[in-house]
Structures are given as structure tokens and as C-alpha cells.
Amino acid sequence: EVQLVESGGGLVQAGGSLRLSCTASGSTFAHYSIAWFRQAPGKEREGVSSFSRRDGSTDYADSVKGRFTISSDNAKNTVLLEMNNLKTEDTAVYYCAARLAGVSYPAGTSLLRRYYDYWGQGTQVTVSS
């Protein structure tokens, strides 16, 4: 089974940037599509961005479009989330998730929790005003 570990979280001022990393062990990320989720206190865990291994497509939540970018560094078996122009509303625990590639998932499920089988422990991102 694949194990996921997030890193790169921290404290940043509004308008600043952070880069989160999700590193896989036990399997290669080449076999999985990857997504980032986040959960703020008192809120549900929401999908932030996803990367499809089978067609290379990406999806972003409306709240982060134009600010966040997801990418895959295959040499390091790592998926990155570049976060720019951070807002206080981005404060949350960010989680990396994976689902098997090569599977035809229903349309519109790339940012839905129920369609992901593997999860990291999360990394805290705090954006100050």
C-alpha cells in the first residue's frame, strides 16, 4: 500500500507563498492520481486541487483558482502544491490524498473525499493578516 507524507506547511503573511509537498512510499506516484484537501476549524474537509495521472488534467476549487498550482515531480516521487497570494481564508490543515490511476472515475469526482483511498496525516498552513 502507498503511504503519504505531507510537508512544507507553516506560518506565512497574507500575500505570501508556500509550497507543500506530498511524498509517497511503498509505491510510485505514477500509479495514482493525487489531490490536495484542506480542513479549517469548524468546517468540512474540502477538495483544493487534483492531478489526474491518466490524462494529466488538473482541477481546482474556485476559491484557489489562479493562486494554487499542483504538479508532479516524478523523480522524487512527490506531488507539489504551490500556493501563491495566500489569504487568511486559506488557513487550514492540508492533506494529500491518492486514488488508483487507470480507473474510470465518474466525472466531477476529482475533489470529492469519498473517491480517495489513501491519505496523509496533514500539514498545518496558517496565514496571518
Side-chain angles (χ1 to χ4, degrees), residues 21-117:
S21 298
C22 175
T23 300
S25 62
S27 185
T28 173
F29 264 156
H31 299 151
Y32 299 89
S33 294
I34 309 298
W36 286 93
F37 292 77
R38 68 185 182 185
Q39 187 165 21
K43 295 185 177 181
E44 296 181 358
R45 190 171 299 186
E46 63 175 350
V48 176
S49 183
S50 65
F51 174 82
S52 174
R53 187 67 60 181
R54 66 190 303 269
D55 61 11
S57 64
T58 58
D59 290 306
Y60 297 91
D62 289 341
S63 59
V64 306
K65 286 181 179 178
R67 300 189 297 120
F68 290 11
T69 303
I70 191 170
S71 62
S72 178
D73 186 342
N74 293 329
K76 298 181 178 180
N77 210 26
T78 296
V79 170
L80 306 174
L81 183 68
E82 181 70 37
M83 306 186 295
N84 299 310
N85 191 25
L86 283 162
K87 306 176 183 298
T88 56
E89 304 94 279
D90 297 317
T91 295
V93 177
Y94 283 71
Y95 298 89
C96 178
R99 63 183 183 178
L100 283 168
V103 176
S104 182
Y105 296 100
T109 63
S110 66
L111 298 178
L112 299 181
R113 290 173 290 176
R114 61 177 288 188
Y115 287 91
Y116 288 85
D117 303 306

Coordinates of all heavy atoms in Angstrom, one line a residue, residues 21-117:
S21 N 4.5 19.7 -0.1 CA 5.0 18.5 -0.7 C 4.3 17.3 -0.2 O 4.0 17.2 1.0 CB 6.5 18.3 -0.5 OG 7.2 19.4 -1.1
C22 N 4.0 16.4 -1.0 CA 3.4 15.1 -0.7 C 4.3 14.0 -1.2 O 4.4 13.9 -2.5 CB 2.0 14.9 -1.2 SG 1.3 13.3 -0.9
T23 N 5.0 13.2 -0.4 CA 5.9 12.2 -0.8 C 5.3 10.8 -0.6 O 4.8 10.6 0.5 CB 7.2 12.4 -0.1 OG1 7.8 13.6 -0.4 CG2 8.2 11.3 -0.6
A24 N 5.4 10.0 -1.5 CA 4.9 8.6 -1.4 C 6.0 7.6 -1.2 O 7.1 7.7 -1.6 CB 4.2 8.2 -2.7
S25 N 5.6 6.6 -0.4 CA 6.5 5.4 -0.2 C 5.6 4.2 -0.3 O 4.4 4.2 -0.2 CB 7.2 5.5 1.2 OG 6.2 5.4 2.2
G26 N 6.3 3.0 -0.5 CA 5.5 1.8 -0.7 C 5.0 1.6 -2.1 O 4.7 0.4 -2.5
S27 N 5.0 2.6 -2.9 CA 4.5 2.6 -4.3 C 4.9 3.8 -4.9 O 5.2 4.8 -4.3 CB 3.0 2.3 -4.4 OG 2.6 2.2 -5.7
T28 N 4.9 3.8 -6.3 CA 5.3 5.1 -7.0 C 4.0 5.9 -7.3 O 2.9 5.3 -7.5 CB 6.0 4.7 -8.3 OG1 6.1 5.9 -9.1 CG2 5.1 3.7 -9.1
F29 N 4.1 7.2 -7.3 CA 3.0 8.0 -7.6 C 2.6 7.9 -9.1 O 1.5 8.4 -9.4 CB 3.4 9.5 -7.4 CG 3.0 10.0 -6.0 CD1 3.6 11.1 -5.5 CD2 1.9 9.5 -5.3 CE1 3.2 11.6 -4.2 CE2 1.5 9.9 -4.1 CZ 2.2 11.0 -3.6
A30 N 3.4 7.2 -9.9 CA 3.0 7.0 -11.3 C 1.7 6.2 -11.4 O 1.0 6.1 -12.4 CB 4.1 6.4 -12.1
H31 N 1.4 5.4 -10.3 CA 0.2 4.6 -10.3 C -1.0 5.3 -9.7 O -2.1 4.6 -9.7 CB 0.5 3.3 -9.5 CG 1.6 2.5 -10.1 ND1 2.4 1.7 -9.3 CD2 2.1 2.4 -11.3 CE1 3.3 1.1 -10.0 NE2 3.1 1.5 -11.3
Y32 N -0.9 6.5 -9.3 CA -2.0 7.2 -8.6 C -2.3 8.6 -9.2 O -1.4 9.3 -9.6 CB -1.7 7.3 -7.1 CG -1.5 6.0 -6.4 CD1 -0.2 5.4 -6.4 CD2 -2.6 5.3 -5.9 CE1 0.0 4.1 -5.8 CE2 -2.4 4.1 -5.2 CZ -1.1 3.5 -5.2 OH -0.9 2.3 -4.6
S33 N -3.5 8.9 -9.1 CA -3.9 10.3 -9.2 C -3.9 10.9 -7.8 O -4.2 10.2 -6.8 CB -5.3 10.5 -9.9 OG -5.3 10.0 -11.2
I34 N -3.6 12.2 -7.7 CA -3.3 12.8 -6.4 C -4.2 14.1 -6.3 O -4.5 14.8 -7.2 CB -1.9 13.2 -6.3 CG1 -0.9 12.0 -6.6 CG2 -1.6 13.7 -4.9 CD1 -1.1 10.9 -5.7
A35 N -4.6 14.3 -5.0 CA -5.4 15.5 -4.7 C -4.9 16.1 -3.4 O -4.4 15.4 -2.5 CB -6.9 15.2 -4.7
W36 N -5.2 17.4 -3.3 CA -5.0 18.1 -2.0 C -6.3 18.5 -1.5 O -7.2 19.0 -2.2 CB -4.1 19.3 -2.2 CG -2.6 19.0 -2.4 CD1 -2.0 18.8 -3.5 CD2 -1.7 18.8 -1.3 NE1 -0.6 18.6 -3.3 CE2 -0.4 18.5 -2.0 CE3 -1.7 18.8 0.1 CZ2 0.7 18.3 -1.2 CZ3 -0.6 18.6 0.8 CH2 0.7 18.3 0.1
F37 N -6.5 18.2 -0.2 CA -7.7 18.7 0.5 C -7.2 19.6 1.7 O -6.1 19.5 2.1 CB -8.5 17.5 1.1 CG -9.1 16.7 0.0 CD1 -8.4 15.8 -0.8 CD2 -10.5 16.8 -0.2 CE1 -9.0 15.0 -1.8 CE2 -11.1 16.0 -1.2 CZ -10.4 15.1 -2.0
R38 N -8.2 20.3 2.3 CA -7.9 21.1 3.4 C -9.1 21.1 4.3 O -10.2 21.0 3.9 CB -7.4 22.5 3.1 CG -8.5 23.4 2.5 CD -8.0 24.7 2.0 NE -9.0 25.6 1.4 CZ -8.7 26.8 0.9 NH1 -7.5 27.2 0.8 NH2 -9.7 27.5 0.4
Q39 N -8.8 21.3 5.6 CA -9.9 21.4 6.6 C -9.5 22.5 7.6 O -8.5 22.4 8.3 CB -10.1 20.1 7.3 CG -11.3 20.1 8.2 CD -11.7 18.7 8.6 OE1 -10.9 17.7 8.5 NE2 -13.0 18.5 9.0
A40 N -10.4 23.5 7.7 CA -10.3 24.5 8.7 C -11.1 24.2 9.9 O -12.1 23.5 9.8 CB -10.7 25.9 8.1
P41 N -10.8 24.8 11.1 CA -11.6 24.5 12.2 C -13.1 24.8 12.0 O -13.5 25.9 11.5 CB -11.0 25.4 13.3 CG -9.6 25.6 12.9 CD -9.7 25.6 11.4
G42 N -14.0 23.9 12.4 CA -15.4 24.1 12.2 C -15.9 23.9 10.8 O -17.1 24.1 10.6
K43 N -15.1 23.5 9.9 CA -15.5 23.4 8.5 C -15.3 21.9 8.0 O -14.5 21.2 8.6 CB -14.8 24.4 7.6 CG -15.1 25.8 7.9 CD -14.5 26.7 6.8 CE -14.8 28.2 7.0 NZ -14.2 29.0 6.0
E44 N -16.0 21.6 7.0 CA -15.8 20.3 6.4 C -14.5 20.3 5.6 O -14.0 21.3 5.1 CB -17.0 19.9 5.5 CG -18.3 19.8 6.2 CD -19.4 19.4 5.3 OE1 -19.2 19.3 4.1 OE2 -20.5 19.2 5.8
R45 N -13.9 19.1 5.4 CA -12.8 18.9 4.6 C -13.2 19.1 3.1 O -14.1 18.5 2.6 CB -12.1 17.5 4.8 CG -10.8 17.4 4.1 CD -10.1 16.1 4.5 NE -9.9 16.0 6.0 CZ -9.2 15.0 6.6 NH1 -8.7 14.0 5.9 NH2 -9.1 15.0 7.9
E46 N -12.5 20.0 2.4 CA -12.8 20.3 1.1 C -11.7 20.0 0.1 O -10.5 20.2 0.5 CB -13.2 21.8 1.0 CG -12.1 22.8 1.3 CD -12.5 24.2 1.1 OE1 -13.6 24.5 0.5 OE2 -11.7 25.1 1.5
G47 N -12.0 19.7 -1.1 CA -11.0 19.5 -2.1 C -10.4 20.8 -2.6 O -11.2 21.8 -2.8
V48 N -9.1 20.8 -2.8 CA -8.4 22.1 -3.2 C -8.0 21.9 -4.6 O -8.2 22.8 -5.4 CB -7.3 22.4 -2.2 CG1 -6.5 23.6 -2.7 CG2 -7.7 22.6 -0.8
S49 N -7.3 20.9 -4.9 CA -6.7 20.7 -6.2 C -6.4 19.2 -6.5 O -6.2 18.5 -5.6 CB -5.4 21.5 -6.4 OG -4.9 21.4 -7.7
S50 N -6.5 18.8 -7.7 CA -6.3 17.4 -8.1 C -5.4 17.3 -9.4 O -5.5 18.2 -10.2 CB -7.6 16.6 -8.2 OG -8.3 17.1 -9.3
F51 N -4.7 16.2 -9.5 CA -4.0 15.9 -10.7 C -4.3 14.5 -11.1 O -4.1 13.5 -10.4 CB -2.5 16.0 -10.4 CG -1.6 15.6 -11.5 CD1 -1.3 16.4 -12.6 CD2 -1.0 14.3 -11.5 CE1 -0.5 16.0 -13.6 CE2 -0.2 13.9 -12.6 CZ 0.1 14.8 -13.6
S52 N -4.7 14.4 -12.4 CA -5.1 13.1 -13.0 C -3.9 12.4 -13.6 O -3.4 13.0 -14.6 CB -6.3 13.2 -13.9 OG -6.5 12.0 -14.6
R53 N -3.5 11.2 -13.2 CA -2.4 10.6 -13.8 C -2.7 10.1 -15.2 O -1.9 10.1 -16.1 CB -2.0 9.4 -13.0 CG -0.7 8.7 -13.4 CD 0.5 9.6 -13.3 NE 0.7 10.0 -11.9 CZ 1.6 10.8 -11.4 NH1 2.5 11.4 -12.3 NH2 1.7 11.1 -10.1
R54 N -3.9 9.7 -15.5 CA -4.3 9.1 -16.8 C -4.3 10.1 -17.9 O -4.0 9.7 -19.1 CB -5.6 8.4 -16.7 CG -6.8 9.2 -16.4 CD -8.0 8.3 -16.1 NE -8.3 7.3 -17.1 CZ -9.1 7.5 -18.1 NH1 -9.8 8.7 -18.3 NH2 -9.3 6.6 -19.0
D55 N -4.7 11.3 -17.7 CA -4.8 12.3 -18.8 C -4.1 13.6 -18.5 O -4.1 14.5 -19.3 CB -6.2 12.6 -19.2 CG -7.1 13.2 -18.1 OD1 -6.5 13.6 -17.0 OD2 -8.3 13.2 -18.2
G56 N -3.5 13.8 -17.3 CA -2.7 14.9 -16.9 C -3.6 16.2 -16.6 O -3.0 17.3 -16.4
S57 N -4.9 16.0 -16.5 CA -5.7 17.1 -16.2 C -5.6 17.5 -14.8 O -5.3 16.7 -13.9 CB -7.2 16.8 -16.6 OG -7.7 15.7 -15.8
T58 N -5.9 18.8 -14.5 CA -5.9 19.3 -13.1 C -7.3 20.0 -12.9 O -7.9 20.5 -13.8 CB -4.8 20.3 -12.9 OG1 -4.9 21.4 -13.9 CG2 -3.4 19.6 -13.1
D59 N -7.6 20.0 -11.6 CA -8.9 20.6 -11.2 C -8.5 21.5 -9.9 O -7.7 21.1 -9.1 CB -10.0 19.6 -10.8 CG -10.5 19.0 -12.1 OD1 -11.0 19.7 -13.0 OD2 -10.5 17.7 -12.1
Y60 N -9.2 22.6 -9.8 CA -9.0 23.5 -8.7 C -10.4 24.0 -8.1 O -11.3 24.2 -8.9 CB -8.2 24.7 -9.1 CG -6.8 24.4 -9.6 CD1 -6.5 24.1 -10.9 CD2 -5.8 24.3 -8.6 CE1 -5.3 23.8 -11.3 CE2 -4.5 24.0 -9.1 CZ -4.2 23.8 -10.4 OH -3.0 23.5 -10.8
A61 N -10.4 24.1 -6.8 CA -11.6 24.7 -6.2 C -11.6 26.2 -6.7 O -10.6 26.8 -6.9 CB -11.5 24.6 -4.7
D62 N -12.8 26.7 -6.8 CA -13.0 28.1 -7.2 C -12.2 29.1 -6.3 O -11.7 30.1 -6.8 CB -14.5 28.5 -7.3 CG -15.2 27.8 -8.4 OD1 -14.6 27.3 -9.4 OD2 -16.5 27.8 -8.3
S63 N -12.1 28.7 -5.1 CA -11.5 29.6 -4.1 C -10.0 29.8 -4.3 O -9.4 30.7 -3.8 CB -11.8 29.2 -2.7 OG -11.3 27.9 -2.5
V64 N -9.4 28.9 -5.0 CA -7.9 28.9 -5.2 C -7.5 29.0 -6.6 O -6.3 29.1 -6.9 CB -7.3 27.6 -4.6 CG1 -7.7 27.5 -3.1 CG2 -7.6 26.4 -5.4
K65 N -8.4 29.1 -7.6 CA -8.1 29.2 -9.0 C -7.3 30.5 -9.2 O -7.6 31.5 -8.7 CB -9.3 29.2 -9.9 CG -10.0 27.8 -10.0 CD -11.2 27.9 -10.9 CE -11.8 26.5 -11.1 NZ -13.1 26.6 -11.9
G66 N -6.2 30.3 -10.0 CA -5.3 31.4 -10.3 C -4.3 31.7 -9.2 O -3.3 32.5 -9.4
R67 N -4.4 31.0 -8.1 CA -3.4 31.2 -7.0 C -2.6 29.9 -6.7 O -1.4 30.0 -6.3 CB -4.1 31.7 -5.7 CG -4.9 33.0 -5.9 CD -5.4 33.5 -4.6 NE -6.3 32.6 -3.9 CZ -6.2 32.0 -2.7 NH1 -5.1 32.3 -2.0 NH2 -7.1 31.2 -2.2
F68 N -3.2 28.8 -6.8 CA -2.6 27.5 -6.5 C -2.3 26.7 -7.7 O -3.0 26.8 -8.7 CB -3.5 26.6 -5.6 CG -3.7 27.1 -4.2 CD1 -3.3 28.4 -3.8 CD2 -4.3 26.3 -3.2 CE1 -3.5 28.9 -2.5 CE2 -4.5 26.8 -1.9 CZ -4.1 28.0 -1.6
T69 N -1.2 26.0 -7.7 CA -0.8 25.1 -8.8 C -0.3 23.8 -8.3 O 0.5 23.7 -7.4 CB 0.3 25.7 -9.6 OG1 -0.1 27.0 -10.1 CG2 0.7 24.8 -10.8
I70 N -0.9 22.7 -8.8 CA -0.5 21.3 -8.5 C 0.4 20.8 -9.6 O 0.2 21.1 -10.8 CB -1.7 20.4 -8.3 CG1 -1.3 19.1 -7.7 CG2 -2.5 20.2 -9.6 CD1 -2.5 18.2 -7.2
S71 N 1.5 20.0 -9.2 CA 2.4 19.5 -10.1 C 3.0 18.2 -9.5 O 2.9 17.9 -8.3 CB 3.5 20.5 -10.5 OG 4.3 20.8 -9.3
S72 N 3.6 17.4 -10.4 CA 4.2 16.1 -10.0 C 5.7 16.1 -10.4 O 6.1 16.4 -11.5 CB 3.5 15.0 -10.7 OG 4.1 13.7 -10.4
D73 N 6.5 15.8 -9.4 CA 7.9 15.6 -9.5 C 8.2 14.1 -9.5 O 8.4 13.6 -8.4 CB 8.7 16.4 -8.5 CG 10.2 16.3 -8.7 OD1 10.7 15.5 -9.5 OD2 10.9 17.2 -8.1
N74 N 8.2 13.5 -10.6 CA 8.2 12.0 -10.7 C 9.6 11.5 -10.2 O 9.7 10.4 -9.6 CB 7.9 11.5 -12.1 CG 6.5 11.8 -12.5 OD1 5.6 11.8 -11.6 ND2 6.3 12.0 -13.8
A75 N 10.6 12.3 -10.4 CA 12.0 11.8 -10.0 C 12.1 11.7 -8.5 O 12.8 10.8 -8.0 CB 13.0 12.8 -10.5
K76 N 11.3 12.5 -7.8 CA 11.3 12.5 -6.3 C 10.1 11.8 -5.7 O 9.9 11.8 -4.5 CB 11.4 13.9 -5.8 CG 12.7 14.6 -6.1 CD 12.8 16.0 -5.5 CE 14.1 16.7 -5.9 NZ 14.1 18.0 -5.3
N77 N 9.3 11.2 -6.6 CA 8.0 10.6 -6.2 C 7.2 11.5 -5.3 O 6.7 11.1 -4.2 CB 8.4 9.3 -5.4 CG 7.3 8.2 -5.6 OD1 6.5 8.2 -6.6 ND2 7.2 7.3 -4.6
T78 N 7.1 12.7 -5.7 CA 6.5 13.8 -4.9 C 5.5 14.6 -5.7 O 5.7 14.8 -6.9 CB 7.6 14.7 -4.4 OG1 8.4 14.0 -3.5 CG2 7.0 15.9 -3.6
V79 N 4.4 15.0 -5.1 CA 3.5 15.9 -5.7 C 3.5 17.2 -4.9 O 3.6 17.2 -3.7 CB 2.0 15.3 -5.7 CG1 1.0 16.4 -6.1 CG2 2.0 14.1 -6.7
L80 N 3.5 18.3 -5.6 CA 3.6 19.6 -5.0 C 2.4 20.4 -5.1 O 1.6 20.3 -6.1 CB 4.8 20.4 -5.7 CG 6.1 19.7 -5.7 CD1 7.1 20.5 -6.5 CD2 6.7 19.4 -4.3
L81 N 2.2 21.3 -4.2 CA 1.1 22.3 -4.3 C 1.7 23.6 -4.0 O 2.1 23.9 -2.9 CB 0.0 22.0 -3.3 CG -1.2 23.0 -3.4 CD1 -2.0 22.8 -4.7 CD2 -2.2 22.8 -2.2
E82 N 1.9 24.4 -5.1 CA 2.4 25.8 -5.0 C 1.2 26.7 -4.6 O 0.3 26.8 -5.4 CB 3.1 26.2 -6.2 CG 3.7 27.6 -6.2 CD 4.9 27.7 -5.3 OE1 5.7 26.7 -5.2 OE2 5.1 28.7 -4.6
M83 N 1.3 27.4 -3.5 CA 0.3 28.3 -3.1 C 0.8 29.7 -3.1 O 1.8 30.0 -2.4 CB -0.2 27.9 -1.7 CG -0.6 26.5 -1.6 SD -1.3 26.1 0.0 CE 0.1 26.3 1.1
N84 N 0.2 30.6 -3.9 CA 0.6 32.0 -4.0 C -0.5 32.9 -3.6 O -1.7 32.5 -3.6 CB 1.0 32.3 -5.5 CG 2.2 31.4 -5.9 OD1 3.2 31.3 -5.3 ND2 2.0 30.8 -7.1
N85 N -0.1 34.1 -3.3 CA -1.1 35.1 -2.9 C -2.0 34.6 -1.8 O -3.3 34.7 -1.9 CB -1.9 35.7 -4.1 CG -2.7 36.9 -3.8 OD1 -2.4 37.6 -2.8 ND2 -3.8 37.1 -4.5
L86 N -1.4 34.0 -0.8 CA -2.2 33.4 0.3 C -3.1 34.4 1.0 O -2.7 35.5 1.2 CB -1.3 32.7 1.2 CG -0.8 31.3 0.7 CD1 0.4 30.9 1.5 CD2 -1.9 30.3 0.8
K87 N -4.3 33.9 1.4 CA -5.2 34.7 2.1 C -5.5 34.1 3.5 O -5.2 32.9 3.7 CB -6.6 34.8 1.3 CG -6.4 35.3 -0.1 CD -7.8 35.2 -0.8 CE -7.6 35.7 -2.2 NZ -7.2 37.1 -2.4
T88 N -6.0 34.8 4.4 CA -6.3 34.3 5.7 C -7.3 33.1 5.6 O -7.2 32.2 6.5 CB -6.8 35.3 6.7 OG1 -8.0 36.0 6.1 CG2 -5.7 36.4 6.9
E89 N -8.1 33.2 4.7 CA -9.1 32.1 4.5 C -8.5 30.8 4.1 O -9.2 29.7 4.1 CB -10.1 32.5 3.4 CG -10.9 33.8 3.7 CD -10.2 35.0 3.0 OE1 -9.2 35.5 3.6 OE2 -10.7 35.4 2.0
D90 N -7.2 30.8 3.7 CA -6.5 29.6 3.3 C -6.0 28.8 4.5 O -5.5 27.7 4.4 CB -5.4 29.9 2.4 CG -5.8 30.5 1.0 OD1 -6.8 30.0 0.5 OD2 -5.2 31.4 0.6
T91 N -6.1 29.4 5.7 CA -5.6 28.7 6.9 C -6.4 27.4 7.1 O -7.6 27.4 7.2 CB -5.8 29.6 8.1 OG1 -4.9 30.8 8.0 CG2 -5.4 28.9 9.4
A92 N -5.7 26.3 7.2 CA -6.3 25.0 7.4 C -5.2 24.0 7.5 O -4.0 24.3 7.3 CB -7.1 24.7 6.2
V93 N -5.6 22.8 7.9 CA -4.7 21.6 7.8 C -4.9 21.1 6.3 O -6.0 20.8 5.9 CB -5.0 20.5 8.8 CG1 -4.1 19.3 8.6 CG2 -4.8 21.1 10.2
Y94 N -3.8 20.9 5.6 CA -3.8 20.4 4.3 C -3.4 19.0 4.2 O -2.4 18.6 4.8 CB -2.9 21.3 3.4 CG -3.4 22.6 3.1 CD1 -3.5 23.6 4.0 CD2 -3.9 22.9 1.8 CE1 -4.1 24.9 3.7 CE2 -4.4 24.1 1.4 CZ -4.5 25.1 2.4 OH -5.1 26.3 2.1
Y95 N -4.2 18.2 3.5 CA -4.0 16.8 3.4 C -3.7 16.4 1.9 O -4.4 16.9 1.0 CB -5.2 16.0 3.9 CG -5.6 16.2 5.3 CD1 -6.4 17.3 5.7 CD2 -5.0 15.4 6.3 CE1 -6.7 17.5 7.0 CE2 -5.4 15.6 7.6 CZ -6.2 16.6 8.0 OH -6.5 16.8 9.3
C96 N -2.9 15.4 1.8 CA -2.6 14.8 0.5 C -3.4 13.5 0.4 O -3.5 12.8 1.4 CB -1.1 14.5 0.3 SG -0.7 13.7 -1.2
A97 N -4.0 13.2 -0.8 CA -4.8 12.0 -0.9 C -4.5 11.4 -2.3 O -4.1 12.1 -3.2 CB -6.3 12.3 -0.8
A98 N -4.7 10.1 -2.4 CA -4.4 9.4 -3.7 C -5.5 8.4 -4.0 O -6.1 7.8 -3.1 CB -3.1 8.7 -3.6
R99 N -5.7 8.2 -5.3 CA -6.6 7.1 -5.8 C -5.9 6.5 -7.0 O -5.2 7.2 -7.7 CB -8.0 7.7 -6.1 CG -8.1 8.7 -7.2 CD -9.5 9.2 -7.4 NE -9.7 10.1 -8.5 CZ -10.8 10.6 -8.9 NH1 -11.9 10.3 -8.2 NH2 -10.9 11.5 -9.9
L100 N -6.2 5.2 -7.2 CA -5.5 4.5 -8.2 C -5.8 5.1 -9.6 O -6.9 5.4 -9.9 CB -6.0 3.0 -8.2 CG -5.3 2.2 -7.1 CD1 -6.1 0.8 -7.0 CD2 -3.9 1.9 -7.4
A101 N -4.7 5.2 -10.4 CA -4.9 5.6 -11.8 C -5.3 4.4 -12.6 O -5.3 3.2 -12.1 CB -3.6 6.1 -12.3
G102 N -5.7 4.6 -13.8 CA -6.2 3.6 -14.7 C -7.6 3.1 -14.4 O -8.1 2.2 -15.1
V103 N -8.3 3.8 -13.5 CA -9.7 3.5 -13.2 C -10.5 4.7 -13.8 O -10.1 5.9 -13.6 CB -9.9 3.4 -11.7 CG1 -11.4 3.2 -11.4 CG2 -9.1 2.3 -11.1
S104 N -11.6 4.4 -14.4 CA -12.5 5.4 -14.9 C -13.5 5.8 -13.8 O -14.4 5.2 -13.5 CB -13.3 4.8 -16.1 OG -14.1 5.8 -16.7
Y105 N -13.1 7.0 -13.3 CA -14.0 7.5 -12.2 C -15.1 8.4 -12.8 O -14.9 9.0 -13.8 CB -13.1 8.3 -11.2 CG -12.1 7.6 -10.5 CD1 -10.8 7.6 -10.9 CD2 -12.4 6.8 -9.4 CE1 -9.8 6.9 -10.2 CE2 -11.4 6.1 -8.7 CZ -10.1 6.1 -9.1 OH -9.2 5.4 -8.5
P106 N -16.2 8.4 -12.1 CA -17.3 9.3 -12.6 C -16.8 10.7 -12.7 O -16.0 11.2 -11.9 CB -18.4 9.2 -11.5 CG -18.1 7.8 -10.8 CD -16.6 7.7 -10.9
A107 N -17.3 11.4 -13.7 CA -17.0 12.8 -13.9 C -17.4 13.6 -12.6 O -18.4 13.4 -12.0 CB -17.7 13.4 -15.1
G108 N -16.5 14.6 -12.3 CA -16.8 15.5 -11.2 C -16.4 15.0 -9.9 O -16.9 15.6 -8.9
T109 N -15.6 14.0 -9.8 CA -15.3 13.4 -8.5 C -13.8 13.6 -8.1 O -13.4 13.1 -7.0 CB -15.5 11.8 -8.5 OG1 -14.6 11.2 -9.5 CG2 -17.0 11.5 -8.9
S110 N -13.1 14.4 -8.8 CA -11.7 14.6 -8.5 C -11.4 15.3 -7.2 O -10.3 15.2 -6.7 CB -11.0 15.3 -9.7 OG -11.5 16.7 -9.8
L111 N -12.4 16.0 -6.7 CA -12.2 16.8 -5.4 C -13.2 16.3 -4.4 O -13.5 17.1 -3.4 CB -12.4 18.3 -5.7 CG -11.4 18.9 -6.6 CD1 -11.7 20.4 -6.8 CD2 -10.0 18.8 -6.1
L112 N -13.6 15.1 -4.5 CA -14.6 14.5 -3.5 C -13.9 13.5 -2.6 O -13.2 12.6 -3.1 CB -15.8 13.9 -4.2 CG -16.6 14.8 -5.1 CD1 -17.8 14.0 -5.7 CD2 -17.1 16.0 -4.2
R113 N -14.0 13.6 -1.3 CA -13.3 12.8 -0.4 C -13.5 11.3 -0.6 O -12.6 10.5 -0.4 CB -13.6 13.2 1.0 CG -13.0 14.5 1.4 CD -13.6 15.0 2.8 NE -15.0 15.3 2.7 CZ -15.7 15.6 3.8 NH1 -15.2 15.6 5.0 NH2 -17.0 15.9 3.6
R114 N -14.8 10.9 -0.9 CA -15.2 9.5 -0.9 C -14.5 8.7 -2.0 O -14.5 7.5 -2.0 CB -16.7 9.4 -1.0 CG -17.2 10.0 -2.3 CD -18.7 9.7 -2.4 NE -19.0 8.4 -2.8 CZ -20.2 7.9 -3.1 NH1 -21.3 8.7 -3.1 NH2 -20.4 6.6 -3.3
Y115 N -13.9 9.4 -3.0 CA -13.2 8.7 -4.1 C -11.7 8.6 -3.9 O -11.1 8.1 -4.8 CB -13.5 9.5 -5.4 CG -15.0 9.3 -5.8 CD1 -16.0 10.1 -5.5 CD2 -15.3 8.2 -6.6 CE1 -17.3 9.9 -5.8 CE2 -16.6 8.0 -7.0 CZ -17.6 8.8 -6.6 OH -18.9 8.6 -7.0
Y116 N -11.2 8.9 -2.7 CA -9.8 8.8 -2.4 C -9.6 7.7 -1.3 O -10.3 7.7 -0.3 CB -9.2 10.1 -2.1 CG -9.1 11.0 -3.3 CD1 -10.1 11.8 -3.7 CD2 -7.9 11.0 -4.0 CE1 -10.0 12.5 -4.9 CE2 -7.8 11.8 -5.2 CZ -8.9 12.5 -5.6 OH -8.8 13.3 -6.7
D117 N -8.6 6.9 -1.5 CA -8.4 5.7 -0.6 C -7.3 5.9 0.3 O -7.2 5.2 1.4 CB -8.2 4.5 -1.5 CG -9.4 4.2 -2.4 OD1 -10.5 4.1 -2.0 OD2 -9.1 4.0 -3.6

